[in-house]
Amino acid sequence: MGTTCRPPPRLRRAGRLLRRAMSGCVWELGPPGKRWLVAGLGNPGLPGTRHSVGMAVLGQLARRLGVAERWARDRRCAADLARAALGDAQLVLLRPRRLMNANGRSVARAAELLGLTAEEVYLVHDDLDKPLGKLALKLGGSARGHNGVRSCISCLNSNAMPRLRVGIGRPTHPNAVQAHVLGRFSPSEQELLPPVLERATDLLLDHIRERSQGPWSGT
């Protein structure tokens, strides 16, 4: 059997220190301006599944903002974080490392550390009731049966978070819902996904830019 190659202890320690330093940079105050937390809901370790399409949007958003290589793990909120500038505003991108049903714990802790209200926290998540590729951005409202959103509402003690819903379609048979959301996109769906992620990113950035120029309230 072959052996697994591991870097020397000194390099492993240097890597840990670098990741810790990058994580700390997320919480440092930048220049004056509005700050927003953008959370992509999903299940860690399950990329490419319909239920984690919110995390896919965050990946595209990070690439668009030039921070795709700057994700850093933060143990305080059990999430991967990246900070980016958008004009005079600051965005903190978040991918929870907890399961979907507990995503809210990561989101709420990050909002607390950043000193943000629920209105300043964007949630990006899948939507069974919209066909694949259909997007909708709304301010606040109920969880509509989405466990990740329900967790966020509970942990933030508010339902005022703006949400970008990304359609994944609903299977015809009710018993197939769980397998559908936890399953990976089919080859034909994967061909449609890149432009969907682009449009989702456009919609999100346009909305944040507009709100950054207006009052601080969630309007």
Side-chain angles (χ1 to χ4, degrees):
M1 295 178 60
T3 58
T4 301
C5 295
R6 300 183 64 190
R10 184 179 300 175
L11 290 180
R12 293 202 301 270
R13 182 173 181 272
R16 288 195 297 269
L17 291 174
L18 177 61
R19 288 192 295 272
R20 190 178 304 167
M22 291 177 65
S23 175
C25 290
V26 172
W27 310 116
E28 293 177 1
L29 289 175
K34 293 190 177 180
R35 305 176 82 188
W36 309 97
L37 176 63
V38 186
L41 306 188
N43 286 307
L46 293 175
T49 62
R50 297 179 182 90
H51 214 21
S52 294
V53 72
M55 289 184 170
V57 173
L58 261 284
Q60 180 61 34
L61 179 61
R63 288 188 289 274
R64 179 79 67 84
L65 295 171
V67 296
E69 304 301 324
R70 298 182 191 173
W71 290 102
R73 183 175 183 178
D74 191 282
R75 296 183 182 277
R76 286 169 291 183
C77 54
D80 293 326
L81 304 169
R83 191 173 75 176
L86 183 66
D88 293 332
Q90 300 175 57
L91 274 59
V92 175
L93 314 185
L94 181 148
R95 297 185 304 202
R97 282 181 168 264
R98 293 184 169 101
L99 294 177
M100 179 71 87
N101 292 4
N103 274 187
R105 293 167 58 193
S106 295
V107 175
R109 179 60 173 152
E112 178 186 10
L113 290 168
L114 290 165
L116 300 180
T117 65
E119 291 86 352
E120 295 161 335
V121 177
Y122 279 80
L123 306 180
V124 186
H125 62 89
D126 58 302
D127 190 336
L128 271 169
D129 293 323
K130 296 188 181 304
L132 179 66
K134 183 73 173 179
L135 304 172
L137 202 156
K138 61 172 291 188
L139 298 178
S142 67
R144 298 169 61 93
H146 193 285
N147 289 333
V149 176
R150 183 180 294 114
S151 173
C152 292
I153 290 174
S154 174
C155 293
L156 286 163
N157 197 28
S158 173
N159 67 351
M161 298 79 71
R163 291 161 227 174
L164 176 58
R165 308 200 307 266
V166 183
I168 60 170
R170 180 181 289 274
T172 54
H173 200 289
N175 292 339
V177 169
Q178 184 174 0
H180 178 73
V181 298
L182 297 179
R184 299 179 67 86
F185 287 103
S186 68
S188 60
E189 289 174 329
Q190 290 176 14
E191 292 181 5
L192 300 174
L193 203 54
V196 172
L197 300 182
E198 288 284 356
R199 289 191 293 109
T201 299
D202 289 339
L203 183 58
L204 196 55
L205 290 176
D206 288 346
H207 197 266
I208 293 174
R209 286 191 188 98
E210 183 178 352
R211 292 184 71 206
S212 295
Q213 296 169 1
W216 283 80
S217 62
T219 58

